[in-house]
Amino acid sequence: MSERLTVEVIDITDPSDPRVDDFRDLNSVDRRPDLPALPGGAVGKALVIAEGVLVVQRMIASRFAPHALFGVDRRLEELSGDFVEGADGVPFYRASKEVMAQVIGFHLNRGVLAAARRPTMLGVADVIAGARTVAVLEGVNDHENIGSVFRNAAGLDVDAVIFGTGCADPLYRRCVRVSMGHALLVPFAKSENWPGDLELLRENGFRTVAMTPGEGSVPLREAIAPTRGGDATGTKLAFLVGAEGPGLVEHTMRQCDVRAHIPMSRGTDSLNVATAAAVAFYEALSR
Amino acid sequence: MSERLTVEVIDITDPSDPRVDDFRDLNSVDRRPDLPALPGGAVGKALVIAEGVLVVQRMIASRFAPHALFGVDRRLEELSGDFVEGADGVPFYRASKEVMAQVIGFHLNRGVLAAARRPTMLGVADVIAGARTVAVLEGVNDHENIGSVFRNAAGLDVDAVIFGTGCADPLYRRCVRVSMGHALLVPFAKSENWPGDLELLRENGFRTVAMTPGEGSVPLREAIAPTRGGDATGTKLAFLVGAEGPGLVEHTMRQCDVRAHIPMSRGTDSLNVATAAAVAFYEALSR
C-alpha cells in the first residue's frame, strides 16, 4: 500500500547533534517541534511527528511526506520493505535507544519516529467533494478523543473530518498515534466559517445530524432513516459531535437538520465522544 | 441515588501519618495498596481505590463500602450531600493538596480518594441471573479498555461483565477511573471454568456471539436477528470480545453460537475492543 521511500542511513552518536533537532524534547510544553505556535505567539516548527512502525508506514503512504526519520536499527530493518536506500534520500538517523532517549527526552518503546512539514491544509469544500459520510467536531479539545475519532472514521467508512471551533490540533503527535496514523490519511479541514459551513454541507446534499442526548432529539436510527435507499440526493450524512460534558452549542444545533440520540440506560453519563461517533458511523454504514 | 455515609473528619498534617497508609504510593509497582498480589506471590492489600468526586459517589452507592476517604477540603464540601457527619463514622482524612501529593506520590487533580476492601466476588451464575445482555472478555489485559467496556456497558444497558482467562484486574484504580465508577456498579464475575462457562450461558438462554473480523463471521445485525422479538427463550445475548490484535482464541469461538463482525472499511485495523463492544451493545439495545 505504501510507496517506497528513498532513504539514506546516517548514524548519530552524539545526542546534541543538531541534525536530530526536529525530534528533540518531544514532551516539552514550549519547545516541542510539533507545536504550531510557541508561547507568546511566535510561530513554532509545526512539524508532524509519526511514531512507531505502523504509523510511520502510514505517514509514508500519506500526503505528509517525511523529511527525516530517527530510529533504532531494529526498526530500520522492520521498515526496510518501505525503503530504497540511496544517496539524496530522506535521512534515516540511526541511533542507539539510549541516544534516542536523550534526544527526545524520554524512552520511546516504539523505537522509530518520522517528521514531516505540514502541507497546505485542505478546505471544507475540498474534503466534502465526493464524500458520503463526514464527521464534524465542535469544541473537542482532547487529543486522544480526536485520534480515536480518526481511527473510527477510517474503520467505519467515514470520508472526512471537519473541525469547527474549539478543537485541539489533530496533527499533534499523541493524536496521530492514537489515530494509528489515520489522522494523516482521512482528509480533514478546519472550518473558517463556523457554523456557517453547515449551510455548505446542506447545499451539497448532506443531512446534518447533531448528536446530543438532550431534549428534542430522536433515536439515531430514526434520524438517519431519510438518507436510506439509492436516491442520490440527500443520502449523505454529516454527524456533529461536541465535547464530553458541554456537548454541542445550542446555536450550532439549531442549524442542523435533526438532533439524534443514542438510546441509553437511564441515569448514566453520555458515552465518550469518539464512542458515540463510532456508533453513529456504524449506523450510517449499516443503512 | 447514593446512600448517605456517616463520616468523621480527621485532619492529617504529617505525610508519614500511618492512618493514610491505604492511600500511600498509589503509583508504586510493588507497594500500591490496590495490588491483589505482591511481587513474589505474597498477598497484597487488594484495596479498591476510587478517585474524584463522581467515582467516590458511585463507590458509596455500590457494594464496595469505603472504609476510609482522603481528600482536600474543597472536595469534602462537594461531597457534603453524600455524608452525615458523626462519631464512629468512616474517617475522612482531610489534608492540604501538598500533603496529599506526598502521601500518594503524585499530584492528584481530582483531590479526593476513597478506599474499600474487596467484598466477596460474585460468580458467573450470580451475575447472569436476570440479565438480558452480558459482555464476556477474553485476554483483555489493558486496564483502560476494561474501564471503557464497563462505561459502555453501563450506558448501553448491559447487565453484567464476565472475565475469561487473561484479563487484567477490573478493580485496579485506573480501570475504575476510566469506567467512571461503573466497574463498581455493573456486576462482574471472573470465570473459574473457561471456556466451559459458555455452556452455562447457553443453558440459561443466552445466544453466545463471538465478535471477530475473521472468516466465517456474519454481520453483527444478522448475528443477533434470532434474538429479536418478545419470545422469552433465546432472546438473551452474550457478546464475546478479545484483545486488540490477537482477538478471541479459536477454541473459544468454536464453542459460540455464531461469529459476528462489524462491517468495516477495507484495509483498516479492527476497532478498539471497547468501541467494538459499544457497537455490539448498541445493536443489542436497538433490537
Side-chain angles (χ1 to χ4, degrees):
Chain A
M1 200 173 90
S2 49
E3 294 161 39
R4 302 244 288 172
L5 186 75
T6 305
V7 301
E8 193 181 342
V9 178
I10 297 167
D11 284 303
I12 301 287
T13 52
D14 173 6
S16 66
D17 194 318
R19 290 177 293 182
V20 289
D21 277 356
D22 282 354
F23 303 99
R24 198 172 297 285
D25 297 331
L26 285 187
N27 267 350
S28 158
V29 174
D30 55 1
R31 282 186 318 273
R32 59 183 171 82
D34 53 347
L35 211 58
L38 300 179
V43 176
K45 276 190 172 181
L47 299 180
V48 184
I49 306 280
E51 62 185 274
V53 168
L54 177 72
V55 178
V56 167
Q57 285 171 327
R58 288 189 171 150
M59 177 179 266
I60 294 169
S62 80
R63 68 189 199 95
F64 295 79
H67 65 270
L69 297 101
F70 185 33
V72 297
D73 194 56
R74 198 175 126 212
R75 301 303 179 206
L76 173 60
E77 279 170 33
E78 285 174 36
L79 282 161
S80 59
D82 301 86
F83 294 157
V84 184
E85 285 202 36
D88 296 329
V90 169
F92 186 108
Y93 298 114
R94 178 168 58 184
S96 67
K97 62 182 181 181
E98 291 74 23
V99 168
M100 255 190 105
Q102 282 179 270
V103 173
I104 67 182
F106 57 93
H107 182 75
L108 183 84
N109 279 320
R110 291 178 181 79
V112 65
L113 297 158
R117 295 186 189 87
R118 297 187 187 214
T120 310
M121 290 294 115
L122 305 172
V124 174
D126 302 323
V127 301
I128 65 173
R132 186 173 182 235
T133 310
V134 302
V136 186
L137 275 54
E138 181 186 60
V140 180
N141 57 10
D142 179 280
H143 289 109
E144 298 201 12
N145 282 342
I146 293 176
S148 298
V149 167
F150 272 109
R151 181 179 175 186
N152 296 341
L156 295 166
D157 239 0
V158 168
D159 305 298
V161 178
I162 295 165
F163 293 95
T165 46
C167 294
D169 177 18
L171 294 177
Y172 173 45
R173 179 172 57 93
R174 195 186 305 165
C175 177
V176 174
R177 182 184 68 218
V178 172
S179 81
M180 299 183 83
H182 291 296
L184 309 176
L185 292 168
V186 176
F188 70 86
K190 186 169 167 11
S191 168
E192 302 295 345
N193 172 25
W194 183 257
D197 276 336
L198 292 175
E199 190 52 38
L200 183 65
L201 282 164
R202 236 189 331 261
E203 283 167 9
N204 281 274
F206 284 87
R207 181 166 171 82
T208 50
V209 181
M211 298 295 296
T212 173
E215 279 180 33
S217 62
V218 301
L220 172 61
R221 195 164 290 176
E222 188 180 316
I224 71 163
T227 69
R228 284 212 187 84
D231 184 3
T233 313
T235 61
K236 302 180 197 172
L237 278 168
F239 290 111
L240 279 79
V241 291
E244 276 171 67
L248 293 164
V249 172
E250 176 61 29
H251 177 68
T252 301
M253 290 196 281
R254 283 214 189 111
Q255 295 177 59
C256 290
D257 293 314
V258 64
R259 300 181 194 210
H261 67 262
I262 295 168
M264 288 186 65
S265 321
R266 278 161 181 270
T268 52
D269 332 274
S270 61
L271 295 172
N272 164 280
V273 57
T275 306
V279 168
F281 302 163
Y282 166 76
E283 191 63 80
L285 188 56
S286 307
R287 81 195 124 132
Chain B
M1 204 174 85
S2 50
E3 294 161 37
R4 302 245 286 171
L5 187 74
T6 305
V7 300
E8 192 180 344
V9 178
I10 297 167
D11 285 303
I12 301 286
T13 52
D14 173 8
S16 66
D17 194 317
R19 290 177 294 181
V20 289
D21 278 355
D22 282 354
F23 303 99
R24 197 172 298 284
D25 297 331
L26 284 186
N27 267 350
S28 159
V29 174
D30 54 2
R31 283 185 317 274
R32 59 182 171 81
D34 53 348
L35 211 57
L38 300 180
V43 175
K45 276 190 171 181
L47 298 180
V48 184
I49 306 281
E51 62 185 273
V53 168
L54 178 71
V55 179
V56 167
Q57 285 170 326
R58 289 190 170 150
M59 177 180 267
I60 294 169
S62 80
R63 67 188 200 97
F64 295 79
H67 65 271
L69 297 101
F70 185 33
V72 298
D73 195 56
R74 196 173 129 215
R75 301 304 179 204
L76 173 60
E77 279 170 32
E78 285 174 37
L79 283 160
S80 59
D82 301 85
F83 294 157
V84 184
E85 285 201 35
D88 296 327
V90 169
F92 186 109
Y93 298 114
R94 178 169 58 186
S96 67
K97 63 181 182 184
E98 291 74 21
V99 168
M100 253 190 106
Q102 282 179 269
V103 173
I104 67 181
F106 56 94
H107 182 75
L108 183 85
N109 279 321
R110 292 179 182 80
V112 65
L113 297 159
R117 295 186 189 88
R118 296 188 187 212
T120 310
M121 290 295 113
L122 303 172
V124 173
D126 302 323
V127 302
I128 66 173
R132 187 173 181 235
T133 310
V134 302
V136 186
L137 276 55
E138 182 187 59
V140 180
N141 56 10
D142 179 280
H143 290 108
E144 299 200 11
N145 282 342
I146 293 175
S148 298
V149 167
F150 272 109
R151 181 180 175 186
N152 296 341
L156 295 165
D157 239 0
V158 168
D159 305 296
V161 178
I162 295 165
F163 293 95
T165 47
C167 295
D169 177 19
L171 294 177
Y172 174 43
R173 179 172 58 92
R174 195 187 305 163
C175 177
V176 173
R177 182 184 69 219
V178 172
S179 82
M180 301 183 82
H182 291 297
L184 309 176
L185 291 168
V186 176
F188 71 85
K190 186 168 166 12
S191 168
E192 301 295 345
N193 173 24
W194 183 258
D197 276 336
L198 292 175
E199 190 52 38
L200 183 66
L201 283 164
R202 238 191 327 262
E203 283 166 10
N204 281 274
F206 284 87
R207 181 167 171 84
T208 50
V209 181
M211 298 295 295
T212 174
E215 279 179 32
S217 62
V218 300
L220 173 62
R221 196 164 289 177
E222 189 181 315
I224 71 163
T227 69
R228 283 210 190 85
D231 184 2
T233 313
T235 61
K236 302 179 194 171
L237 277 168
F239 289 112
L240 279 79
V241 292
E244 276 173 67
L248 292 166
V249 171
E250 176 61 30
H251 177 68
T252 302
M253 290 196 282
R254 284 215 188 113
Q255 293 175 58
C256 290
D257 293 316
V258 64
R259 300 182 193 209
H261 67 260
I262 295 168
M264 287 186 65
S265 321
R266 278 161 183 271
T268 52
D269 331 273
S270 60
L271 295 172
N272 165 280
V273 56
T275 307
V279 168
F281 302 162
Y282 166 75
E283 192 63 82
L285 188 56
S286 307
R287 85 194 119 133

